[in-house]
Amino acid sequence: MHILYIVIPAYNEEANIVCVAKEWHEVVVKTGDRSRLVIVNDGSKDNTGEILKSISASLPQLVVLEKENGGHGGTVLHGYRYALENGADYIFQTDSDGQTLPSEFWPFWEEREQHAMILGYRRFRGDGLGRFFVTKILRIMLFLFFHVWIKDANTPFRLLRARELRAFIGFVPDNYFLANTLLSVIYRKKKERIRFITITFRERQGGVNSINIRKIMNIGISALSDFSRLNKALDTT
């Protein structure tokens, strides 16, 4: 039986974390007693950490990792490395805001052996037109810089086979904010088998998003120089 580790980064998600943890814990239980739900608390300033401690006893396959605040990308990478070090065969990543549906995981799991990476395609987004257009702009930027076409490179709903992730994770700089985006690019440039499955993407279920449009634009500006440098590094490997 394949071992699944679900990695969920969390920052100031006290409004959502109980529901998210319980729903995704049910998924790992169904895949086997060696599977784990790994929630990485990225230095939350609210009660996220305390809540996770209080529910751990009732969720036996939950692992809570604590780290200093470093942003979404570094937190995801922290969880990925933990999963690889602890024997995961497959790693699934989603976010802690309740925008994705655990029920939509199972088509991904059924196709796990046929693809190195399966990505959830957010055809319709419930979090506003601004983020919808950001996804489209990112798609064009990746094509211009990396010469690959990925229709939803930064989706927070992805199943990764451990073999390829172990080979490619070292290409991603530590604490790089767009870690998932860069991994999608690497898989495409290395001609790995990638599959897209359309998913539901709801509005945030509670709390306030820590990343607003202004922050997204600043990230995009810094990404321009990063993409140029990283593309050269990938082309030489």
Side-chain angles (χ1 to χ4, degrees):
M1 182 177 292
H2 290 139
I3 300 171
L4 170 69
Y5 273 54
I6 294 180
V7 172
I8 300 181
Y11 177 72
N12 290 352
E13 291 289 0
E14 62 182 11
N16 298 309
I17 200 64
V18 172
C19 182
V20 168
K22 288 182 177 179
E23 289 183 341
W24 285 103
H25 187 267
E26 291 180 8
V27 172
V28 298
V29 168
K30 290 177 181 178
T31 63
D33 58 8
R34 296 177 63 192
S35 295
R36 295 291 181 269
L37 171 63
V38 180
I39 299 182
V40 188
N41 183 27
D42 185 30
S44 294
K45 295 179 174 61
D46 65 359
N47 293 317
T48 298
E50 289 73 17
I51 292 171
L52 286 170
K53 290 178 184 176
S54 71
I55 64 174
S56 291
S58 63
L59 303 176
Q61 289 173 238
L62 169 65
V63 176
V64 178
L65 303 181
E66 298 281 347
K67 64 181 286 294
E68 294 183 1
N69 182 253
H72 185 275
T75 306
V76 166
L77 291 174
H78 189 78
Y80 288 166
R81 293 189 180 106
Y82 179 88
L84 292 172
E85 291 167 1
N86 286 274
D89 298 310
Y90 290 88
I91 299 96
F92 180 81
Q93 189 269 317
T94 192
D95 285 345
S96 52
D97 48 22
Q99 290 184 267
T100 59
L101 299 175
S103 61
E104 295 185 340
F105 166 80
W106 298 109
F108 287 65
W109 191 239
E110 290 170 5
E111 296 193 29
R112 64 190 180 277
E113 296 186 67
Q114 282 73 53
H115 308 280
M117 176 168 62
I118 307 177
L119 299 174
Y121 173 46
R122 298 169 289 182
R123 185 186 302 274
F124 303 105
R125 295 188 60 155
D127 52 353
L129 282 175
R131 287 173 176 263
F132 173 78
F133 286 116
V134 166
T135 298
K136 286 187 172 292
I137 293 169
L138 179 60
R139 187 185 307 161
I140 294 169
M141 288 175 60
L142 296 181
F143 181 74
L144 292 175
F145 280 90
F146 295 101
H147 312 296
V148 294
W149 186 255
I150 309 172
K151 56 187 177 182
D152 201 349
N154 201 40
T155 179
F157 203 92
R158 57 183 59 218
L159 181 64
L160 308 164
R161 194 161 53 195
R163 182 173 69 243
E164 289 81 8
L165 180 59
R166 185 175 288 107
F168 298 147
I169 195 170
F171 290 113
V172 183
D174 289 341
N175 293 320
Y176 185 61
F177 189 85
L178 296 175
N180 273 339
T181 296
L182 186 55
L183 280 171
S184 299
V185 168
I186 294 168
Y187 277 64
R188 183 69 86 193
K189 287 182 75 74
K190 298 298 184 181
K191 303 187 186 307
E192 296 293 343
R193 288 178 59 86
I194 299 174
R195 166 95 157 94
F196 281 93
I197 297 176
T198 301
I199 63 168
T200 304
F201 199 70
R202 305 178 291 180
E203 64 181 9
R204 165 178 278 275
Q205 296 301 288
V208 178
N209 200 316
S210 61
I211 304 296
N212 55 36
I213 293 298
R214 184 176 180 180
K215 288 183 179 180
I216 290 173
M217 296 305 296
N218 290 334
I219 292 165
I221 291 169
S222 65
L224 293 175
S225 59
D226 289 340
F227 285 172
S228 179
R229 174 177 52 83
L230 292 167
N231 188 42
K232 291 179 182 177
L234 289 174
D235 285 341
T236 59
T237 57

